[in-house]
């Protein structure tokens, strides 16, 4: 009852906002029977704005595409999607507050939002207590599985695990020792715990590990440690965040830690957008692992990149987080049409099993509210893109990592009431 | 031997970044007693100046001189941050001498304004604005004294500001039309790429040192020597020291304390600009770049003893060497078979985050015993 009231309120606000809603036969672009308003919640100011604003652009583009193709069709009626954009301001409590506003005041049936794990952790209790639904598009450390969040980014086994495997077995530094570098917060630490367990299984050795406090760009001590631990070159796994990468790559190049002297860096946070900021001259020859890379040579991928450039400017690039954001809007639309209602409990049930021909290739929603995805390993080239070296088949998501000591042997399944968030395999 | 050399170099490299960043503050906070929280943002302006200079030197006319842009930008950064500092002194700080809490709040506000300024104003017009300020502030002082003393001087002053504004708008639009990257406002971090002769390493006594680090050390040494000579050898330096020691007496003896304040603050701010050039070589340039250094700057100045340049120098190199010793776990390589509990403790602190905690703790302990720092200043401060 509460939910339907919320939707009614949402529809009412939305129809007020729309000046011309025609009642003619739905289906063609430009004429809709009704509207539905969704929430978009990312940082438009503060340190995260640079990254998160690209997601807002992508989500707007996906919504415009859906509207141009006739909108969402529910119960024989076509709905135009409207959106309310809220600014999380790179401040985690603000994300929670704005979520409350979108759910209670605007009555939106779904919120697309978040980037940092900290923002997601801040929003989680809001969505769980109000039984609302958040779609979260970023590759993250997993170890979480909420009934009220749908995660379209990669889990570690869909990014870091295949990447570590590649580095140890098939990269030019194969068989070498590992050094782990990251920013000091939850994602790098969790990711590196998993990497350490995996390297041990593979028979390799992690010879060092260091974390840079967020905001600190003094990497000289880390460089001396790398040189001491890996005097003859080796594998460096990098989970630094944002600008710290610029300082790191500028300074390791000056210190002679380069691919030509046997040091290969595998990055989990550097996509096309970041390559252009850091400068390809510092990154050439190092690696990245993602589900989507702009250089994927398929019609779907090219179309995605071309429409984004057409909509937002020819100098713009698309990257993995944007592709996840794009997918989640389409998956929501499909689920709503299958459910035949905007009610989020029904949509949640319809969501599992949805398939979509994403720019990265086919993806499918799994019972643990994550996506099955393809993993790609790329080498960064001088043009600022990735040369794709390897492509796995479809990899199923593990919400609870099977290499992390605290979650080994657990899984998540929301389709079976007896299993739920965390059950023993 | 090699280990020692490497460690010493690393310590000096880290320390010189701290020192060049803190040098301007040592003057502003140390000599004038002004708690300038916008110091980091003056550094940020210096870093952006480097970026703008780099792009301008990519224009066809200046392309042959591209390799020297970094040298030019050191001087330009000094001027840009100096001019903004002088404006800050004239409009905000002058009214607040002797009230540190208000100064702290006001300069913090200024730092937010400057951050937002570079986010929302295209850099081309930002450059134009700085040029206007430069002309507007300095053109009237170049007039012959006959005009200066005439009753109509205010009209001359006014017209020179109009001239300044026009020149600023003109340069702004010229830059914006010729360098497309500067014509749009952007909150995105930008990148300064060192010219090719400054990239890579040089070998000294069998050990390879990164060239950018050496460059920063050179910039720091030159700045320290220049400022020491200025303070100790020049007439204005003497006046600055006189005002620092006893403001009323200097005033009575005919020193224009107002002018001394402007010059001191201008030089301190200009040095922040030079520091901006140095840090732009290490990482990316963004609105928040200065904020990362401000705590370190105050730490160095307080530890060194407020008002003492030698103290600042020793404090920054001390902190640099300690950071490297603790953060890179070097004690273990110097003394490999130390008892287990001790080596475990050292290993625990041998990460960048923990080294920072350790350094802060050591400084706090040190200040318990010597609250006025390494070299306490004797005599009266400016606020007395």
């Amino acid at each position: 009852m509460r939910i339907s009231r919320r939707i009614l309120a949402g529809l009412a606000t939305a129809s007020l906002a729309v000046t011309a809603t025609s009642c003619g036969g739905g289906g063609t672009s430009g004429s809709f029977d009704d509207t539905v308003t969704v929430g978009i919640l990312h940082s438009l100011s503060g340190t995260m704005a640079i990254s998160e604003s690209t997601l807002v652009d992508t989500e707007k583009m996906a919504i415009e595409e859906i509207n141009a193709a006739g909108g969402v069709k529910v119960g024989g009626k076509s709905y135009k999607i409207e959106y309310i954009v809220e600014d999380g301001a790179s401040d985690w409590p603000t994300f929670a507050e704005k979520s409350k506003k979108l759910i209670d005041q605007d009555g939106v049936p779904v919120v697309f939002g978040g980037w940092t794990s900290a923002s997601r952790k801040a929003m989680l209790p809001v969505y769980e207590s109000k039984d609302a639904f958040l779609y979260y598009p970023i590759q993250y450390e997993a170890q979480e599985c909420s009934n009220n969040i749908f995660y379209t980014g990669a889990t570690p086994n869909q990014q870091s695990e295949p990447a570590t495997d590649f580095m140890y077995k098939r990269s030019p530094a194969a068989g070498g020792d590992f050094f782990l570098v990251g920013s000091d917060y939850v994602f790098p630490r969790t990711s590196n715990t998993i990497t350490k367990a995996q390297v041990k299984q593979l028979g390799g050795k992690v010879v060092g590990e260091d974390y840079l406090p967020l905001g600190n760009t003094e990497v000289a001590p880390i460089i001396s440690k790398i040189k001491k631990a890996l005097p003859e070159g080796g594998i460096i796994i990098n989970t630094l965040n944002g600008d710290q990468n610029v300082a790191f790559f500028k300074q390791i190049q000056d210190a002679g830690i380069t691919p030509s002297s046997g040091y290969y860096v595998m990055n989990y946070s550097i996509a096309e957008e970041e390559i252009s900021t850091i400068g390809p001259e510092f990154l050439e020859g190092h690696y990245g692992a993602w589900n989507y890379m702009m250089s994927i040579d398929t019609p779907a991928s090219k179309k995605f990149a071309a429409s984004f450039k057409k909509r937002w400017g020819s100098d713009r690039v698309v990257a993995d987080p944007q592709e996840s954001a794009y997918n989640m809007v389409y998956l929501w639309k499909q689920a709503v049409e299958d459910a035949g209602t905007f009610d989020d409990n029904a949509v949640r049930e319809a969501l599992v099993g949805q398939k979509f021909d994403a720019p990265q290739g086919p993806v499918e929603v799994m019972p643990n509210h994550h996506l099955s995805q393809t993993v790609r390993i790329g080498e960064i080239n001088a043009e600022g893109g990735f040369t794709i070296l390897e492509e796995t088949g479809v990899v199923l998501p593990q919400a609870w990592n099977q290499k992390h000591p605290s979650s080994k042997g657990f899984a998540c399944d929301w389709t079976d009431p007896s299993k739920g968030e965390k059950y023993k395999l | 031997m090699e280990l020692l050399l490497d460690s010493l170099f690393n310590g000096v490299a880290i320390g010189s970044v701290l020192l060049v960043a803190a040098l301007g503050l040592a003057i502003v906070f140390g000599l004038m007693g002004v708690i300038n929280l916008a110091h980091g943002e003056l550094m940020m302006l210096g870093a952006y100046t480097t970026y703008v200079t780099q792009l301008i030197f990519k224009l066809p006319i200046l392309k042959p001189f591209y390799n020297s842009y970094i040298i030019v930008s050191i001087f330009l950064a000094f001027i840009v941050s100096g001019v903004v500092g002088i404006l800050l002194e004239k409009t905000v700080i002058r009214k607040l001498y002797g009230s540190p809490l208000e100064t702290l709040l006001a300069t913090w506000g200024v730092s937010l304004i400057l951050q937002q300024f570079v986010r929302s104003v295209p850099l081309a017009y930002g450059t134009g604005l700085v040029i206007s300020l430069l002309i507007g502030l300095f053109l009237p002082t170049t007039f012959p004294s006959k005009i200066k003393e005439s009753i109509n001087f205010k009209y001359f002053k006014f017209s020179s500001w109009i001239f300044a504004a026009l020149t600023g708008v003109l340069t702004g639009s010229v830059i914006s039309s010729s360098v497309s990257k500067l014509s749009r406002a952007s909150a995105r971090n930008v990148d300064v790429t060192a010219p090719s002769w400054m990239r890579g390493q040089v070998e000294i006594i069998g050990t390879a040192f990164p060239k950018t680090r050496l460059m920063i050390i050179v910039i720091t040494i030159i700045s320290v020597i220049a400022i020491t000579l200025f303070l100790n050898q020049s007439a204005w330096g003497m006046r600055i020291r006189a005002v620092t020691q006893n403001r009323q007496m200097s005033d009575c003896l005919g020193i224009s304390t107002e002018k001394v304040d402007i010059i001191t603050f201008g030089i301190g701010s200009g040095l922040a600009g030079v520091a901006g050039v140095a840090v732009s070589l290490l990482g990316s340039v963004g609105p928040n770049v200065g904020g990362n250094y401000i705590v370190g700057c105050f730490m160095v100045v307080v530890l060194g003893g407020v008002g003492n340049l030698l103290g600042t120098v020793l404090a920054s190199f001390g902190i640099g060497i300690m950071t490297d010793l603790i953060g890179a776990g070097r004690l273990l390589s110097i003394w490999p078979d130390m008892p287990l509990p001790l080596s475990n403790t050292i290993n625990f602190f041998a990460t960048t985050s923990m080294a920072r905690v350790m350094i802060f703790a050591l400084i706090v302990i040190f200040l318990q015993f010597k609250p006025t720092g390494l070299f306490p200043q004797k005599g009266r401060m400016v606020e007395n």
Side-chain angles (χ1 to χ4, degrees):
Chain A
M1 191 57 219
R2 185 172 58 85
I3 290 161
S4 57
R5 210 171 43 239
R6 222 166 58 210
I7 291 161
L8 281 178
L11 294 179
T13 0
S15 23
L16 277 177
V18 179
T19 43
T21 35
S22 80
C23 293
T28 53
S29 78
S31 65
F32 299 95
D33 301 320
D34 211 336
T35 62
V36 57
T37 305
V38 299
I40 294 179
L41 174 52
H42 293 289
S43 300
L44 298 172
S45 55
T47 46
M48 291 309 296
I50 297 170
S51 311
E52 292 194 49
S53 56
T54 63
L55 299 187
V56 177
D57 292 347
T58 316
E59 285 154 18
K60 282 183 185 170
M61 182 180 92
I63 290 173
E64 284 162 15
E65 281 181 15
I66 293 172
N67 283 341
V72 189
K73 292 174 197 71
V74 175
K77 281 167 82 182
S78 70
Y79 287 81
K80 183 179 184 209
I81 309 176
E82 304 265 319
Y83 49 78
I84 298 175
V85 182
E86 285 292 344
D87 179 8
S90 309
D91 178 53
W92 323 136
T94 307
F95 271 93
E97 196 183 297
K98 297 280 183 179
S99 295
K100 278 185 201 149
K101 185 236 167 204
L102 283 169
I103 300 166
D104 291 339
Q105 213 170 310
D106 302 319
V108 299
V110 63
V111 176
F112 303 110
W115 179 297
T116 62
S117 286
S119 71
R120 190 191 65 253
K121 295 271 185 211
M123 290 188 280
L124 181 78
V126 176
Y127 289 87
E128 290 193 336
S129 69
K130 296 186 185 293
D131 199 21
F133 216 173
L134 171 73
Y135 283 48
Y136 173 76
I138 299 298
Q139 130 274 359
Y140 79 119
E141 70 279 359
Q143 312 299 76
E144 183 182 301
C145 190
S146 167
N147 199 18
N148 299 78
I149 298 183
F150 170 43
Y151 312 81
T152 58
T155 55
N157 74 305
Q158 292 174 316
Q159 188 193 24
S160 78
E161 289 183 18
T164 309
D165 197 63
F166 166 81
M167 290 311 278
Y168 191 68
K169 289 182 180 157
R170 297 178 296 279
S171 74
D177 290 342
F178 283 78
F179 193 97
L180 316 178
V181 187
S183 299
D184 204 354
Y185 72 106
V186 59
F187 169 68
R189 285 194 180 262
T190 312
S191 172
N192 284 343
T193 310
I194 295 167
T195 304
K196 278 189 281 186
Q198 190 187 354
V199 169
K200 205 171 165 192
Q201 276 180 13
L202 288 169
K205 216 164 79 187
V206 175
V207 288
E209 168 179 26
D210 205 347
Y211 298 92
L212 206 54
L214 286 168
N216 188 342
T217 48
E218 184 54 86
V219 292
I222 294 190
I223 289 175
S224 19
K225 274 184 169 172
I226 293 179
K227 285 193 149 176
K228 202 170 86 184
L230 301 172
E232 304 297 327
I235 304 162
I236 300 166
I237 302 281
N238 168 26
T239 38
L240 286 170
N241 211 13
D243 326 345
Q244 293 186 313
N245 278 308
V246 184
F248 180 69
F249 280 100
K250 267 187 180 178
Q251 294 183 40
I252 61 168
Q253 196 181 57
D254 283 338
I257 300 179
T258 56
S260 57
S261 50
Y263 294 90
Y264 294 87
V265 184
M266 169 55 89
N267 303 289
Y268 299 152
S269 310
I270 294 182
E272 287 81 352
E273 190 81 32
E274 286 77 21
I275 298 176
S276 70
T277 316
I278 301 168
E281 69 270 29
F282 294 107
L283 290 167
E284 199 184 340
H286 295 301
Y287 300 96
W290 292 107
N291 303 122
Y292 176 78
M293 288 172 176
M294 204 173 154
S295 49
I296 296 174
D297 199 14
T298 61
S301 157
K302 284 183 175 161
K303 185 177 156 267
F304 174 56
S307 357
F308 191 79
K309 280 173 185 280
K310 194 174 161 221
R311 177 67 181 84
W312 299 106
S314 58
D315 56 337
R316 297 289 300 270
V317 292
V318 284
D320 182 273
Q322 285 157 278
E323 196 248 5
S324 296
Y326 182 79
N327 296 346
M328 71 184 179
V329 179
Y330 271 97
L331 286 164
W332 172 76
K333 176 220 173 207
Q334 283 177 208
V336 167
E337 289 185 344
D338 268 16
T341 164
F342 290 106
D343 181 291
D344 44 13
N345 281 315
V347 173
R348 183 176 307 148
E349 271 171 35
L351 186 64
V352 174
Q354 286 297 336
K355 290 180 185 155
F356 178 59
D357 257 332
Q360 62 164 285
V363 295
E364 186 182 344
V365 183
M366 292 289 131
N368 59 6
H369 285 186
H370 288 69
L371 278 185
S372 68
Q373 321 208 46
T374 308
V375 188
R376 294 178 171 86
I377 312 285
E379 185 184 331
I380 299 168
N381 55 37
E383 287 77 49
F386 287 102
T387 308
I388 298 173
L389 302 176
E390 281 192 7
E391 221 177 273
T392 64
V394 169
V395 180
L396 297 183
Q398 293 171 357
W400 301 104
N401 191 274
Q402 295 308 305
K403 296 204 162 63
H404 197 285
S406 75
S407 59
K408 204 170 175 176
F410 289 94
C412 165
D413 185 346
W414 288 110
T415 52
D416 183 345
S418 66
K419 288 175 174 170
E421 185 176 354
K422 194 173 184 180
Y423 69 94
K424 221 168 163 58
L425 279 170
Chain B
M1 177 61 202
E2 195 186 306
L3 186 80
L4 193 71
L5 194 70
D6 202 33
S7 182
L8 192 70
F9 174 78
N10 259 324
V12 170
I14 300 171
S16 61
V17 175
L18 276 175
L19 177 54
V20 77
L23 199 57
L25 197 74
I27 294 180
V28 166
F29 177 50
L31 299 184
M32 298 176 74
V34 172
I35 299 178
N36 182 14
L37 284 187
H39 183 76
E41 278 58 42
L42 292 169
M43 279 173 70
M44 180 259 304
L45 290 181
Y48 270 100
T49 308
T50 320
Y51 174 68
V52 172
T53 316
Q54 179 193 359
L55 289 184
I56 291 177
F57 269 71
K58 277 185 181 162
L59 289 176
I61 341 166
L62 290 168
K63 191 89 192 179
F65 309 104
Y66 180 73
N67 276 336
S68 59
Y69 87 83
I70 204 90
I71 312 283
V72 178
S73 60
I74 293 176
F75 293 99
L76 291 180
F78 184 86
I79 296 172
V80 169
S81 299
V83 165
V84 175
I86 288 174
L87 181 78
L88 179 64
E89 201 273 343
K90 279 186 161 222
T91 50
V92 179
I93 291 172
R94 174 164 305 172
K95 316 267 191 300
L96 298 172
Y97 282 125
S99 37
L101 201 60
E102 286 80 353
T103 319
L104 189 140
L105 283 173
T107 51
W108 187 57
V110 170
S111 79
L112 296 181
I113 293 172
L114 287 175
Q115 283 184 17
Q116 205 54 45
F117 179 83
V118 297
R119 279 197 194 107
S120 41
V121 175
L123 287 175
Y125 289 97
T127 317
L129 185 67
V130 172
I131 290 175
S132 312
L133 284 177
L134 183 69
I135 297 176
L137 287 172
F138 289 100
L139 192 61
T141 62
T142 60
F143 290 152
S145 53
K146 213 173 169 186
I147 300 181
K148 273 192 204 165
E149 280 148 20
S150 82
I151 191 126
N152 292 329
F153 182 55
K154 57 181 176 201
Y155 298 112
F156 282 98
K157 227 176 164 176
F158 183 69
S159 49
S160 65
W161 272 108
I162 291 182
F163 172 71
L166 288 176
T167 326
V169 171
L170 193 71
T171 30
S173 21
V174 168
I175 296 174
S176 120
S177 60
S178 47
V179 187
S180 63
K181 273 190 184 165
L182 298 178
S183 61
R184 269 175 294 166
S186 155
R188 188 174 279 265
N189 278 20
V190 294
D191 195 19
V192 169
T193 312
S196 50
W197 60 269
M198 265 179 58
R199 284 162 63 182
Q201 302 174 293
V202 275
E203 289 236 342
I204 303 172
I205 347 174
T207 319
F209 297 112
K211 284 184 190 164
T212 42
R213 288 288 184 171
L214 287 173
M215 180 73 180
I216 293 176
I217 295 176
V218 171
I219 295 178
T220 311
I221 293 174
I222 294 178
S223 310
V224 172
I225 293 178
I227 198 68
T228 318
L229 284 180
F230 175 78
L231 284 178
N232 293 320
Q233 305 292 325
S234 74
W236 276 110
M238 195 170 70
R239 288 180 199 131
I240 290 174
R241 283 180 297 137
V243 172
T244 306
Q245 282 172 15
N246 194 326
R247 177 173 284 263
Q248 275 95 12
M249 186 58 86
S250 316
D251 210 1
C252 291
L253 291 172
I255 296 174
S256 163
T257 52
E258 199 172 288
K259 247 187 187 163
V260 165
D261 287 340
I262 290 182
I263 289 177
T264 318
F265 203 84
I267 288 175
S269 310
L271 285 172
V274 174
V277 180
V279 301
S280 74
L281 294 172
L282 292 177
S284 69
V285 177
N288 301 320
V289 69
N292 300 336
Y293 288 91
I294 188 79
V295 174
C297 290
F298 274 102
M299 191 165 79
V300 166
V301 176
V302 170
L303 182 65
V306 176
N308 192 307
L309 279 187
L310 180 68
T312 308
V313 173
L314 289 180
S316 11
F317 288 132
I319 292 179
I321 290 170
M322 289 299 278
T323 307
D324 186 64
L325 275 181
I326 300 173
R330 285 198 198 269
L331 288 172
L332 279 177
S333 10
I334 296 166
W335 183 20
D337 39 35
M338 67 173 76
L340 199 64
L342 195 61
S343 71
N344 280 346
T345 318
I346 287 175
N347 257 331
F348 177 70
F349 283 105
T351 65
T352 317
S353 333
M354 288 316 288
R356 226 175 170 203
V357 173
M358 185 78 166
I359 298 274
F360 264 97
L362 288 177
I363 290 176
V364 169
I365 293 169
F366 179 83
L367 290 178
Q368 299 294 313
F369 295 101
K370 284 196 81 127
T372 43
L374 288 171
F375 297 99
Q377 176 86 343
K378 292 186 183 73
R380 276 172 249 189
M381 297 296 292
V382 72
E383 66 259 39
N384 292 347

